[in-house]
Amino acid sequence: MPEATFSFPADMRWGVATSAHQVEGGNTNNDWWDWEQQPGRIAEGHTSGKACDWWTNAEADFDRAAAMGLNALRLSVEWSRVEPSPGEFDDAALGRYWEMLTELRTRGIEPMVTLHHFTNPLWLAEQGGWENRDTVPLFARFAGRVVRALGKQCDLWCTINEPSIIALLGYMHGSFPPGRNDFRAAMAVLRNLLLGHAAAYGAVHEVQPSARVGLAHTMIPMDPASPRSRLDRWASRLPDALMNEAIISSLARGRWALPLGVGPAWRLRKTLDWVGLNYYTRHIVRFDRTQRRAFFARQGQAPDAELLDGGFGEFHPRGIFRCIRRLRRLGVPIYITENGTPDEDDDQRPRHLLAHLHQVWHAIQLCCPVMGYYHWTLVDNFEWARGWTMHFGLFSLDHKTQKRRPRRSAELYASIVREQAITPRIIDEYAPDLRSELLPG
Ligand code: FCB
């Protein structure tokens, strides 16, 4: 009896995603390095140290990506290396990035370069970072310089990774630098990040008219605990606006959306050639009158949810489909710029990967323009405030010895890429539990 095969478009980009600070090692000149030195900031007092040692040897991992058959890889350039002090650009650092991009191209892998992935040069942080409006033109100048240096090897640019996370964790939650708790500052930072995106969009296109420029937007569906409860629905609205909607709406309409601001934001208009979705989980939101500081919203997981490791939220593959559908209204191609799970023993990841890719497939069937999928991540790396305690890699890493080992999911991902499809054989081999759901009847 013939069985369904979920085939992906032939020109689909299959990649992995990384960021400079998490993999390069030795990024001593940025705000995160400084943060890591402060007691109590990072889980178990970990520091990024040599990370995955990409600054000296990214090539061995590029070989691993190529051996899996990947045709895309997302990495970021570290602003503090390229511009170690204001207005001074380091050609040797740009040279190393040139080398990395060339090495990727040689292996048939198309790079996507992120210009800002969480870290700021120390000099920038000292003058107020993204709270300071002057950062907007400085970022555009940096972006233009990078594209002038690397444009022959790359035309796919991601300006800023997860503006909402930078603003919320750095300026409300306090777990990212600069560790503040100030709603107004968070909103100012978010506005400046979007203006920075728009300014960089212009700067990149000025140097490289054919560039494809977007940003990576993280989305967490905020579902009311009881959809019938008016209070739960009301409580979920602000978290949704902060995390998801205000950014999409401001970019789509060229007007600030609440609570980000009010009035025109014409600079944001037409600044997306594509949009990136980073998807990990969803939150269940319950009205709770004791949570005044969180605007009466208590965020958590559904009582019957399967949980991801390390308190990373709930296993909710349908969420990626819902987020893709929401992004569709921007009317531009969509890349899944991140999706993955922390799973050291890899007992959940194969099912996770298959279930999420099945939802991506479903979205494509409904004509959502998803052009590529970048799994987070290739090799375990330095997971920000969670240090080395989270294991997102298709390959495990012993960061002391720098030894890597493929997890079974690496083989699974390679099979999907090879087949350009999720086949019944793949489901049976890697996640038989999914058979009844994916192949009913
Ligand atoms: C995202 C970040 C990425 C990584 C994953 C797990 O929010 O963009 O750097 O830390 O989470």
Side-chain angles (χ1 to χ4, degrees):
M1 170 121 138
E3 282 184 304
T5 281
F6 307 100
S7 296
F8 290 90
D11 57 356
M12 180 93 177
R13 310 316 284 174
W14 295 106
V16 281
T18 65
S19 89
H21 192 73
Q22 293 176 275
V23 298
E24 285 178 357
N27 273 317
T28 57
N29 195 20
N30 68 31
D31 54 350
W32 264 93
W33 185 276
D34 186 52
W35 188 249
E36 290 162 29
Q37 314 312 312
Q38 301 172 22
R41 298 300 195 190
I42 311 289
E44 299 179 20
H46 290 164
T47 55
S48 55
K50 272 179 75 168
C52 307
D53 204 21
W54 272 30
W55 197 244
T56 20
N57 182 15
E59 285 75 353
D61 283 337
F62 295 170
D63 284 340
R64 291 183 177 92
M68 287 170 63
L70 303 185
N71 59 15
L73 189 141
R74 174 175 176 233
L75 75 175
S76 74
V77 287
E78 171 60 36
W79 190 351
S80 66
R81 282 195 196 272
V82 173
E83 191 178 355
S85 49
E88 269 179 42
F89 293 89
D90 183 337
D91 288 333
L94 285 165
R96 174 64 184 134
Y97 286 120
W98 170 269
E99 193 174 72
M100 284 191 202
L101 300 188
T102 314
E103 293 289 342
L104 285 171
R105 292 266 181 214
T106 313
R107 290 165 176 78
I109 297 176
E110 180 189 49
M112 173 193 282
V113 173
T114 307
L115 295 164
H116 187 279
H117 196 123
F118 290 174
T119 55
N120 295 303
L122 266 182
W123 59 263
L124 190 87
E126 277 157 14
Q127 59 192 50
W130 288 94
E131 218 180 331
N132 184 345
R133 182 67 74 98
D134 296 345
T135 294
V136 171
L138 292 174
F139 180 58
R141 179 177 70 177
F142 159 72
R145 186 72 184 79
V146 170
V147 178
R148 242 180 290 137
L150 306 179
K152 286 222 170 66
Q153 298 292 0
C154 179
D155 66 355
L156 187 56
W157 306 95
C158 174
T159 55
I160 298 185
N161 181 68
E162 300 188 343
S164 52
I165 294 291
I166 299 173
L168 298 179
L169 297 195
Y171 293 82
M172 274 176 71
H173 191 250
S175 53
F176 277 22
R180 300 262 298 280
N181 184 341
D182 177 343
F183 184 75
R184 283 171 65 119
M187 293 307 99
V189 165
L190 198 41
R191 282 193 302 274
N192 287 341
L193 284 163
L194 290 185
L195 292 171
H197 155 75
Y201 179 91
V204 173
H205 274 285
E206 212 175 290
V207 181
Q208 190 183 50
S210 62
R212 295 168 290 153
V213 186
L215 57 68
H217 181 38
T218 192
M219 291 182 76
I220 305 180
M222 299 285 176
D223 293 334
S226 163
R228 289 223 212 104
S229 151
R230 222 191 289 161
L231 284 174
D232 287 353
R233 288 205 309 271
W234 176 82
S236 65
R237 229 178 279 150
L238 181 65
D240 181 66
L242 282 171
M243 188 60 78
N244 308 313
E245 184 57 28
I247 289 183
I248 302 176
S249 171
S250 303
L251 287 164
R253 297 183 315 144
R255 289 188 71 78
W256 295 116
L258 285 172
L260 203 49
V262 284
W266 59 267
R267 284 196 177 87
L268 303 188
R269 299 196 61 186
K270 299 205 184 331
T271 59
L272 286 178
D273 302 322
W274 57 270
V275 65
L277 168 64
N278 292 1
Y279 176 77
Y280 289 93
T281 191
R282 71 147 169 194
H283 287 172
I284 296 292
V285 186
R286 185 179 297 283
F287 174 81
D288 181 342
R289 65 183 79 250
T290 66
Q291 302 282 313
R292 279 191 57 179
R293 288 172 60 91
F295 306 101
F296 306 104
R298 187 213 294 257
Q299 299 183 34
Q301 282 85 43
D304 54 349
E306 175 182 349
L307 299 181
L308 305 175
D309 286 357
F312 214 73
E314 83 179 58
F315 180 96
H316 185 65
R318 190 68 182 161
I320 198 168
F321 173 86
R322 294 164 60 202
C323 293
I324 293 170
R325 298 267 293 195
R326 264 178 97 171
L327 287 177
R328 205 175 151 171
R329 84 170 203 256
L330 288 165
V332 292
I334 299 168
Y335 288 93
I336 309 303
T337 34
E338 290 181 26
N339 172 237
T341 188
D343 182 15
E344 188 169 16
D345 58 9
D346 208 45
D347 64 344
Q348 207 177 31
R349 189 181 285 102
R351 201 157 42 86
H352 184 279
L353 180 57
L354 275 169
H356 284 76
L357 281 176
H358 179 250
Q359 293 296 333
V360 172
W361 172 86
H362 188 194
I364 295 174
Q365 302 319 298
L366 299 185
C367 295
C368 294
V370 181
M371 317 304 282
Y373 174 88
Y374 296 78
H375 189 76
W376 186 275
T377 183
L378 184 64
V379 176
D380 287 346
N381 58 38
F382 181 72
E383 183 44 41
W384 308 113
R386 309 294 291 271
W388 292 98
T389 64
M390 304 286 258
H391 305 264
F392 277 93
L394 294 169
F395 287 76
S396 69
L397 170 78
D398 178 334
H399 75 278
K400 290 201 187 82
T401 62
Q402 287 294 318
K403 264 223 148 61
R404 280 97 164 128
R405 245 178 229 281
R407 296 195 165 100
R408 202 156 170 259
S409 294
E411 189 187 294
L412 161 61
Y413 192 32
S415 310
I416 298 171
V417 173
R418 194 171 48 242
E419 303 279 347
Q420 298 277 352
I422 299 172
T423 63
R425 184 197 63 79
I426 292 178
I427 297 169
D428 287 342
E429 192 170 339
Y430 293 95
D433 297 0
L434 282 180
R435 173 168 258 278
S436 59
E437 195 183 318
L438 266 48
L439 301 167

